[in-house]
Amino acid sequence: MQNDRKWRFKITPFRMILILFVLIAAAAALYRFVYGLGAVTNLSDEWPWGLWIGFDLLCGIALAGGGFSTALIVQVLHKDKYLPIVRAALLTSLIGYIIALVSLFLDIGRWFNFWRPFFYWGYHSVLFEVFWCIALYTTIQILEFGDIFFERVHCPSLKKILGVLMTPLLIIGIVLPTLHQSSLGSLYIVAVDKLYPLWWSMIIPFFFVWSAFFLGPAMVTIEGTLAARTYKREPETDLYSSLTKVTLWMLIIYFIVKMGDLAYRGVFGMAFNGSYESNMFLIEMIVFVLLPIFMYATPSIRNKLSGVLTASILVVVGVVFNRMNVVFTGMAKSVGGSYFPSIWEWLITIGMWSALVLIYCFVVENFPILPKEEHVSHSGKPFGTGFHA
Amino acid sequence: MMSKGVLVDVTRCIGCRSCMVACKTWNDLPAKKTTFSNTWDSPGKMDADTWTVVNSYVIEEDDQVKWRFVKKQCMHCNEPACESACFTHAFVKTQEGAVIYKPTVLNKDYCVGCRYCMIACPFDVPKFQWEKAFPYVQKCKFCYERLQEGLEPACVTACPTGALQFGDREELLAEARKRIDSNPNYYKKIYGEKEYGGTSWMYISDVPFEQIGFKEDVSQKSIPSYTWDVLKWTPFIFFGWGAVLTALRAYTKRRAEVHNEEEMFAPVEKE
């Protein structure tokens, strides 16, 4: 470490393309800030929230759930065998939150007023809680990351201060995401009589935080595999399949509570009424909840990298699918009109996620994030094919 | 001051749209080019520069055809969803009953433009200035400046048939009840009496509200109370969950192994 202080970032053709996407998005974002939302988006009075809030913010935050579920498993429950993945999970989570904040900043009409909620408290708004929690949690993640940063950039005194602060930071760093992951669901409680009853529920906050949590291990599996392929390392398949225990049980409880909630509210039959909404709901439940439950429960599937990876992809896509159903499918009937993101909305979204990949690569190539290879069991043959970021 | 309201009697509206013109004139709102519509409905929808519209409905009953015209605007809820949804508390319900951006000069510019009020409003009323670089949310302001001067809203003044009646909300409720009780043609409901906790603007009609663009069977609980049912748990979750986590972390404190994390991780190399 000490003998290697130069910052490295190898430019590959794939990375050149990603950089191009980021530059296009930056230009489009600049245009949006000057000329307003109407000039670049297809948003309307019927669809005040679109791709940036529905996908980049809601899904970005959910996908970053790996940070807090891993922190809970490793730092609070001290399941030490998962220690090797904890830093990568923190990093993805941190970048995910920064993306969510950027997309929120892009989406608010009077962006120069973004600081208002810090001083003018609309504490009866769910969005107020979401805003505060996300802002504080991003700060906390930056401090947590500071601990890693100062291993690379030597500054023992600052690292010492952070070391003392680490326990309260870790605890608050789990409490805050628990609150706002659930509040992202509570945002839609106001949409009573608007959001389709298959998704509207007084316990939608539970569904959101629960799914953000069980998505964590699945996301770690996908990121870990991608990173392993990119850097020609051994994927930690043993860890991934052992993590499926968490996801499996949480998925089962999720499904039972979901069914119980539908029955309690007397809308169970709506799942089978043949409407567009009911079909989307059935896909969500069967393909993205029941199928992964089956795959995780089958040892021959979950103990193979391809099996655990496929099931994890289903879980992650399923959570995105759920958020899309809440934001778009479930609202469509009551708001009327149609919405499809404009080319600029897509380009800015693509640019932001390209930035995520680039930042991730830069950080793991320059900071101690991934475990040293000798800490990983060498049981299989090394991976060398497939995805090369 | 008693909270004010307006009673809209759908049976008395002839669809002249004087109220729309008065609204645009008083509030100095730009005209919009509309397209021809053979339903007397144009422009049909509210937008940032059109705070009220008169919608037309053709209702066929047996061999009878009924034309009904319904003025739509902000309902000015007793407990407004938009106010509760706003994370800077930019909207307020004034004591006169109007739901508006905070009116004082100091507090005028709270709005961040997040549009959560548009998601929250059960009547889909708030509209956004999409074409502006720094847009505001716009909607009927109940002619707040006029209310303060003791005047009725511009639209009520302009109404030639008495379809709109301005007054104290309680008195209007009594008047509405008197009308629907004394005339069997009325549909037995005052829309806005209880819907989402009650609204300042209320409607009576001789056709079911379902047929003239209102959602019936809606919640009688206000939307802010739904949200509060969940939000009130926040401090308990914060401290309770925090205490549980702290206890668990102490209880499972690393037993055998002590890891030197600095030895465990390293930057990777891209070949």
Side-chain angles (χ1 to χ4, degrees), chain A residues 43-243:
Chain A
L43 297 171
S44 63
D45 285 331
E46 286 79 24
W47 288 102
W49 285 359
L51 186 70
W52 295 342
I53 293 292
F55 185 73
D56 297 308
L57 186 106
L58 275 176
C59 296
I61 295 282
L63 297 180
F68 93 110
S69 41
T70 325
L72 180 60
I73 293 167
V74 177
Q75 313 283 12
V76 170
L77 300 177
H78 289 126
K79 304 275 181 206
D80 284 354
K81 67 172 167 173
Y82 301 115
L83 199 57
I85 58 176
V86 76
R87 288 188 169 188
L90 168 67
L91 174 64
T92 345
S93 173
L94 173 59
I95 309 173
Y97 273 82
I98 291 174
I99 285 195
L101 284 175
V102 170
S103 58
L104 184 66
F105 188 65
L106 276 168
D107 196 77
I108 55 176
R110 309 175 64 75
W111 45 267
F112 50 86
N113 262 353
F114 77 94
W115 51 273
R116 292 269 179 193
F118 286 122
F119 297 97
Y120 304 100
W121 286 18
Y123 59 85
H124 35 47
S125 169
V126 179
L127 197 60
F128 178 74
E129 190 197 321
V130 171
F131 180 85
W132 266 93
C133 284
I134 291 183
L136 287 178
Y137 181 49
T138 308
T139 315
I140 284 179
Q141 288 187 100
I142 291 171
L143 291 176
E144 285 177 2
F145 188 77
D147 198 41
I148 301 168
F149 183 82
F150 292 122
E151 276 177 26
R152 171 74 166 82
V153 181
H154 287 275
C155 184
S157 56
L158 276 176
K159 188 160 162 56
K160 210 169 172 185
I161 297 171
L162 282 174
V164 175
L165 285 174
M166 209 36 79
T167 296
L169 283 182
L170 281 169
I171 300 294
I172 300 173
I174 296 168
V175 173
L176 288 176
T178 309
L179 282 173
H180 70 246
Q181 292 281 8
S182 59
S183 297
L184 285 171
S186 315
L187 279 180
Y188 277 83
I189 283 180
V190 292
V192 57
D193 301 327
K194 280 170 118 177
L195 180 60
Y196 202 75
L198 287 174
W199 291 286
W200 187 89
S201 163
M202 279 307 277
I203 57 167
I204 190 174
F206 165 79
F207 293 128
F208 266 56
V209 68
W210 198 256
S211 54
F213 194 94
F214 71 59
L215 171 133
M219 201 64 202
V220 165
T221 305
I222 296 173
E223 288 158 23
T225 315
L226 280 178
R229 292 195 174 188
T230 307
Y231 297 111
K232 300 193 171 60
R233 293 155 59 94
E234 185 71 15
E236 286 141 286
T237 314
D238 293 347
L239 278 188
Y240 305 153
S241 40
S242 139
L243 269 173

Side-chain angles (χ1 to χ4, degrees), chain B residues 51-63:
Chain B
W51 300 347
T52 185
V53 289
V54 176
N55 289 140
S56 83
Y57 298 89
V58 180
I59 298 144
E60 292 178 46
E61 260 173 31
D62 305 324
D63 55 347

